[in-house]
Amino acid sequence: TMSSQFQLHSNSISSSLPTQLGQISQMSSYFQLFSNKLSLAIPTQLGQLGQMSSGFVLHSNSLSAAIPTELGLLSNFVGGSEWWEGFRLISNKLCLDVPTQVQALS
């Protein structure tokens, strides 16, 4: 099973995020798909990545809609001092409201 470092950044991938990515339940760090052309909503299934502790990075895409409350299930998330260790969704087209469950991760 994959447990760390799922990185597909800066590849001009242009599609929606597959819901099946949430099935990588043992993923603990570095889920990074930044600087692509990903679109549509962030799948709620990514909240099933419950072992994630750092490096959830989806910035600089074209993701839209609301931030799923299910991302608040990433309760092991602590981040780190470097930008690539954080929880980053900036530079997308997401709704401005951050769910309370996700705010609690900080």
Side-chain angles (χ1 to χ4, degrees), residues 22-97:
Q23 295 175 2
I24 311 172
S25 59
Q26 297 302 312
M27 177 64 57
S28 61
S29 60
Y30 302 110
F31 182 85
Q32 299 181 336
L33 291 155
F34 61 89
S35 297
N36 284 295
K37 297 176 184 176
L38 297 168
S39 60
L40 302 176
I42 297 171
T44 59
Q45 291 85 348
L46 293 185
Q48 297 171 9
L49 300 175
Q51 301 300 313
M52 284 294 299
S53 61
S54 65
F56 188 88
V57 183
L58 297 175
H59 72 75
S60 302
N61 282 291
S62 293
L63 296 167
S64 59
I67 298 170
T69 58
E70 290 83 356
L71 292 182
L73 297 172
L74 304 178
S75 58
N76 289 331
F77 200 88
V78 293
S81 60
E82 301 294 341
W83 70 265
W84 61 83
E85 297 173 322
F87 186 93
R88 296 174 57 93
L89 300 175
I90 61 173
S91 297
N92 281 291
K93 299 175 183 178
L94 298 165
C95 295
L96 296 178
D97 294 328

Side-chain angles (χ1 to χ4, degrees), residues 5-19:
Q5 298 197 18
F6 183 79
Q7 299 182 15
L8 292 173
H9 53 81
S10 306
N11 285 299
S12 298
I13 298 170
S14 59
S15 67
S16 59
L17 282 167
T19 59

